[in-house]
Amino acid sequence: MENLELADARARKHKRRSREIREFDKGRNAKLEALQAMLVNKTYKTSEYQLFKIYEPKERDISKLPYYPDRIVHHAVMNELEQHFVACFTADSYSCIKGKGVHKALAAIKKGLKDVANTQYCLKLDVRKFYPSVDHDVLKQLLRRKFKDADLLWLLDEIIDSAPGLPIGNYLSQYFANFYLTGFDHWLKEVKQVKYYFRYKDDMVILHRDKQYLHELLGEIREYLQVKLKLELKGNFQVFPVSARGIDVLGYVVFPKHVRVRKRIKKTCARRIKRNKNRMTIASYKGWFKHGNCRHLTKKLFGEKI
């Protein structure tokens, strides 16, 4: 019960005024007791998903579950499992990890590029429809290598089988997705001895001094993903000289000596400012631009320097 109460507290963070939570609070104690009984008796079933689309930064299908019981259950699971997931992630994975994220990944790539002699070429790739393509049987097998508790595995199986692939929007999906690729990360670092490798979700960047080596590695990566994880690479993978065009990743274009903001983000920012000079929107973009060499751009868009 203490875990369910903590899960409720974490799930409602910054959402206390929502209609769902106000309704839940009318019978909170009784509902948490009922949820505990469902979990103990293994009668819990994932609720029906609400599906909708978002269009920024690109079109995606988003799945949403009710606050009670599902989002509380997901937080209760992660209260116990987060430390175990994070412990097996490599240092080169930057999503779903507290203290990491886009800008930590950007800083790591910039640091790697300081070794100019060994980072002349970049292999940039990502997985085709990654979240929808995650194979349930493979994921369950990976989880069984990590966890042995039968009750836990029953609950994880129930959540995994509630929708095809991994539903974007589920709190647990981002951790499952990262865990799904963790064996691949270890293979690249420990078996293939790749020094400059960076992954954010399924976006991957590998740096090396030899273009031919990266082409050969690409073939091995494709085989590993297909055979071990039943995943396919997108056809837009690239091997290119870093100094000639920069690495377009994480909303930035990274060169050995400077960083630009991605062109699409600049255009979106200018369009939003023209339409509505919202202070929070402006502050958000200023924060984004601070991680690049954007003094002129900031002055042009906001009339000031950073």
Side-chain angles (χ1 to χ4, degrees):
M1 182 55 69
E2 290 82 1
N3 188 26
L4 293 179
E5 290 173 347
L6 176 60
D8 172 37
R10 290 180 171 175
R12 69 172 58 213
K13 195 173 182 181
H14 308 306
K15 303 171 185 173
R16 294 179 182 276
R17 296 181 180 179
S18 75
R19 181 183 58 79
E20 271 191 299
I21 294 176
R22 291 200 307 270
E23 286 296 318
F24 169 74
D25 283 343
K26 292 177 182 177
R28 178 179 180 273
N29 292 339
K31 289 173 181 174
L32 287 180
E33 288 175 3
L35 176 54
Q36 184 184 40
M38 281 189 272
L39 294 170
V40 169
N41 298 323
K42 297 185 180 178
T43 58
Y44 168 78
K45 290 286 185 184
T46 300
S47 304
E48 186 174 345
Y49 286 90
Q50 178 185 348
L51 304 177
F52 60 95
K53 286 185 180 291
I54 61 169
Y55 298 92
E56 290 287 347
K58 62 182 180 181
E59 184 176 327
R60 290 180 182 271
D61 292 317
I62 303 297
S63 302
K64 182 181 178 182
L65 286 169
Y67 181 79
Y68 175 83
D70 306 280
R71 298 213 298 271
I72 294 175
V73 168
H74 287 207
H75 277 269
V77 169
M78 288 313 304
N79 287 345
E80 296 296 322
L81 298 195
E82 183 176 9
Q83 61 181 325
H84 299 288
F85 280 140
V86 172
C88 70
F89 295 160
T90 70
D92 305 286
S93 175
Y94 292 89
S95 61
C96 317
I97 304 171
K98 289 175 182 175
K100 287 192 169 184
V102 168
H103 294 117
K104 285 287 186 180
L106 176 67
I109 294 172
K110 288 164 65 177
K111 183 179 179 181
L113 287 173
K114 290 180 180 179
D115 183 3
V116 177
N118 292 306
T119 59
Q120 294 183 43
Y121 292 94
C122 174
L123 168 59
K124 184 174 178 290
L125 63 162
D126 59 346
V127 176
R128 180 180 177 273
K129 296 187 180 297
F130 175 45
Y131 275 69
S133 298
V134 167
D135 184 274
H136 287 188
D137 290 335
V138 174
L139 176 56
K140 290 176 185 178
Q141 184 180 24
L142 294 172
L143 288 166
R144 277 159 174 75
R145 293 178 189 171
K146 182 71 176 173
F147 305 110
K148 305 304 178 185
D149 184 276
D151 294 332
L152 168 66
L153 292 170
W154 161 79
L155 179 56
L156 296 181
D157 287 353
E158 172 15 73
I159 294 169
I160 290 167
D161 289 335
S162 65
L166 292 177
I168 298 174
N170 262 11
Y171 180 52
L172 269 172
S173 289
Q174 56 187 336
Y175 288 92
F176 283 153
N178 210 358
F179 179 70
Y180 197 76
L181 289 174
T182 293
F184 169 75
D185 295 339
H186 283 280
W187 172 75
L188 271 180
K189 296 298 293 184
E190 295 155 20
V191 178
K192 302 307 299 178
Q193 298 285 300
V194 176
K195 183 176 182 180
Y196 296 113
Y197 165 63
F198 314 91
R199 178 172 68 80
Y200 186 85
K201 297 182 181 177
D202 65 311
D203 290 328
M204 293 170 263
V205 168
I206 299 173
L207 305 173
H208 199 267
R209 64 181 178 275
D210 185 350
K211 179 170 63 174
Q212 184 59 36
Y213 168 84
L214 291 177
H215 280 290
E216 292 171 1
L217 182 63
L218 172 62
E220 293 184 69
I221 288 172
R222 182 186 285 110
E223 182 180 4
Y224 184 103
L225 293 176
Q226 287 178 343
V227 173
K228 301 278 190 181
L229 300 177
K230 300 185 180 180
L231 297 174
E232 293 182 17
L233 290 176
K234 278 186 184 177
N236 62 350
F237 57 83
Q238 305 167 32
V239 176
F240 57 90
V242 174
S243 59
R245 49 187 282 196
I247 307 167
D248 189 341
V249 64
L250 304 170
Y252 298 90
V253 183
V254 188
F255 292 85
K257 293 186 178 179
H258 69 282
V259 178
R260 298 174 182 168
V261 172
R262 183 179 286 163
K263 187 175 181 180
R264 186 179 67 200
I265 291 177
K266 289 189 287 187
K267 287 185 174 181
T268 302
C269 176
R271 188 167 60 247
R272 287 184 175 179
I273 291 172
K274 185 176 181 180
R275 192 166 59 230
N276 179 17
K277 291 190 176 182
N278 180 283
R279 284 190 299 173
M280 290 183 66
T281 300
I282 290 173
S284 174
Y285 278 107
K286 282 183 180 178
W288 192 265
F289 293 168
K290 279 184 179 179
H291 293 272
N293 303 100
C294 305
R295 294 178 65 189
H296 176 72
L297 174 65
T298 305
K299 185 176 181 180
K300 184 177 180 180
L301 289 174
F302 308 115
E304 58 186 87
K305 294 180 180 180
I306 55 173

